[in-house]
Amino acid sequence: MTPTSKNLVRRLNEQNVLQHVFNNSPISRAQVSKDLKLNKVTVSQVVMTLIDQHFITEVGEAESSRRGGRKPVMLRFNAQLGYTVAFDVGVEYVDMMVNYLDGRIAHFKRFEALGLSIMERLDLMNTQLTQQIGFPETERGLVGIAVAVHAVIFNGQVLDSPFVKMAPSTVLDYFTARVNVPVVIENEANLAAVCQRDFANTTVSNQITISIHKGIGAGIIINGKLYRGMDGRAGEIGRSLVFDAKQNEYCKIESLCSEDAIIDQVRTVKGNAALDRRSVLSLYDAKDPDVLEIMERFCRLTAVLMHNVANAYAPTEIILNSAMIATRPALFTMIKEEFSGMRDNVGTIKLAYDVDHAVLLGGCSLCVHQALDLGALTLRLSAS
């Protein structure tokens, strides 16, 4: 075996051992050796390297086996080695979350941002990174930043941002000039899908997460990996065309059944431009007939969208990431009933894991994978 091959094998062993300890802490060296089918000497050498690098710590002894003998020393991933910071750049807000390396939430804060330019939002975010209020004390400090943008993203470039205007490299250039850690720029629907994959304790490797907010987008997981498509444009399902009988023309489906579209429809039928999401839901709870009709159409169109997605990708699971649906179980039930009436093989329909924080948690996961140099290896994270 050449020196290059030996180095590659050693690195692969380090990645596999670190992943296994991360996902199964606390665990003994012997169990790691058995699970990964690596000899005990190799595992011991790899573990010592990871301990020296502070990725793994020894946390005491387990109970000895029935046959007696030495009690095995248990290993645990060092989640407090550093922390990640994720931002969600919404239209009316900027959300910030700080996480330990196992996904646990250390700090969260929302900032009102309606009317702020992209540079004003970036300055706000940088101020938080500089002040570090609420940030935890860790050995290495900040190890990665993720920025979620409601836009088409490809290789860190913002190609199409319909809600918050910015140049392609604005966000990436801003942070790379100010911080010395990796910066991930990603589409918010993709991050919601990553959260579902890594935080929801699932073994499903093919799933679609449909995010319904100001617009509609999908994060697509195929064989456990995020699928972005050409130029990062996969998942732009809100731009699918449907025929609007009322207008007698084709239109984007998100113009009919995004959360913003629903609010606009209620404002129009009620003649009240001041209505917001909360007041619309209050009218729904009060069984206002106009709002009930609008919501029924919303559920029907959402089911149509899911049906088309299911036909195109045949996922094992379809996950709905929508605060409106999550807070009104009757809407979720109606959508499932509409969907099941359209097809025989329904599959599994779920609400997203932690709707309020899914995007930020997905950003945390991408940062952790990068900080640990684990590529596409599966990690099981937990927000609590």
Side-chain angles (χ1 to χ4, degrees):
M1 187 180 292
T2 66
T4 301
S5 297
K6 288 181 179 179
N7 289 338
L8 178 59
V9 171
R10 184 181 302 114
R11 181 60 195 139
L12 290 174
N13 286 337
E14 288 177 0
Q15 289 178 316
N16 288 329
V17 170
L18 179 56
Q19 177 206 25
H20 202 64
V21 174
F22 187 107
N23 289 337
N24 298 280
S25 294
I27 189 171
S28 67
R29 289 171 173 82
Q31 192 62 50
V32 172
S33 174
K34 180 180 178 182
D35 293 344
L36 297 182
K37 297 180 172 57
L38 293 173
N39 69 63
K40 292 182 179 180
V41 173
T42 296
V43 169
S44 292
Q45 291 173 342
V46 169
V47 166
M48 285 309 301
T49 297
L50 295 173
I51 288 176
D52 289 342
Q53 296 171 340
H54 298 187
F55 288 121
I56 289 176
T57 59
E58 294 180 321
V59 292
E61 298 177 338
E63 295 297 322
S64 59
S65 67
R66 295 178 180 177
R67 292 175 293 179
R70 291 181 57 186
K71 295 180 179 180
V73 176
M74 305 302 286
L75 307 170
R76 185 184 295 278
F77 172 69
N78 182 15
Q80 293 180 294
L81 180 63
Y83 60 84
T84 66
V85 177
F87 295 100
D88 179 8
V89 183
V91 176
E92 300 177 356
Y93 63 87
V94 171
D95 281 349
M96 179 186 72
M97 179 178 285
V98 183
N99 299 76
Y100 293 106
L101 299 189
D102 58 357
R104 282 178 296 137
I105 299 172
H107 182 60
F108 169 81
K109 190 166 184 179
R110 166 163 286 194
F111 303 91
E112 298 301 321
L114 183 62
L116 296 184
S117 69
I118 184 59
M119 293 307 299
E120 290 170 326
R121 292 162 189 258
L122 293 173
D123 287 340
L124 183 156
M125 294 151 67
N126 188 55
T127 297
Q128 305 311 308
L129 293 173
T130 303
Q131 294 179 346
Q132 298 185 357
I133 297 173
F135 288 21
E137 292 289 335
T138 63
E139 181 180 332
R140 296 186 184 176
L142 179 65
V143 299
I145 296 170
V147 181
V149 185
H150 300 236
V152 175
I153 312 291
F154 187 65
N155 290 337
Q157 303 292 302
V158 180
L159 302 186
D160 183 8
S161 179
F163 304 125
V164 180
K165 299 302 179 183
M166 65 189 80
S169 62
T170 298
V171 178
L172 189 60
D173 288 350
Y174 183 94
F175 283 112
T176 52
R178 290 167 172 79
V179 298
N180 295 315
V181 298
V183 180
V184 176
I185 316 296
E186 188 54 88
N187 169 269
E188 55 88 25
N190 284 347
L191 291 180
V194 170
C195 169
Q196 192 69 28
R197 180 193 67 186
D198 296 342
F199 279 85
N201 194 27
T202 180
T203 58
V204 173
S205 59
N206 294 287
Q207 56 187 195
I208 309 285
T209 299
I210 299 176
S211 290
I212 305 174
H213 304 298
K214 191 173 185 67
I216 301 176
I220 304 166
I221 302 293
I222 299 176
N223 295 330
K225 297 180 181 179
L226 182 63
Y227 176 71
R228 295 181 173 86
M230 184 181 71
D231 295 339
R233 295 183 184 275
E236 291 295 310
I237 61 173
R239 303 183 184 189
S240 303
L241 296 179
V242 294
F243 187 75
D244 185 358
K246 289 184 177 180
Q247 302 297 324
N248 194 34
E249 63 182 8
Y250 286 97
C251 63
K252 296 175 183 177
I253 195 167
E254 67 184 8
S255 70
L256 300 177
C257 64
S258 66
E259 289 193 0
D260 268 27
I262 298 305
I263 294 170
D264 286 342
Q265 291 166 32
V266 176
R267 286 172 176 169
T268 298
V269 77
K270 291 300 179 186
N272 185 353
L275 292 175
D276 58 12
R277 180 174 170 276
R278 182 176 297 177
S279 53
V280 168
L281 289 176
S282 294
L283 288 170
Y284 172 75
D285 294 337
K287 301 188 184 306
D288 180 280
D290 293 325
V291 176
L292 289 178
E293 182 180 345
I294 290 171
M295 288 301 195
E296 287 172 4
R297 187 181 187 220
F298 163 70
C299 292
R300 185 167 59 255
L301 288 172
T302 300
V304 168
L305 186 61
M306 292 164 56
H307 173 72
N308 293 339
V309 166
N311 282 337
Y313 296 99
T316 306
E317 289 184 347
I318 295 178
I319 295 96
L320 294 177
N321 180 37
S322 162
M324 182 179 289
I325 297 171
T327 57
R328 298 301 184 275
L331 295 178
F332 184 52
T333 299
M334 195 183 310
I335 290 169
K336 289 193 295 182
E337 289 174 350
E338 291 278 358
F339 181 66
S340 62
M342 297 175 185
R343 56 193 300 112
D344 295 327
N345 184 12
V346 175
T348 302
I349 312 299
K350 291 182 176 179
L351 289 173
Y353 174 93
D354 197 346
V355 168
D356 292 332
H357 304 126
V359 172
L360 296 168
L361 292 173
C364 163
S365 178
L366 291 190
C367 287
V368 170
H369 276 85
Q370 195 165 56
L372 301 182
D373 192 22
L374 291 181
L377 292 179
T378 301
L379 293 179
R380 291 196 290 269
L381 295 98
S382 175
S384 57

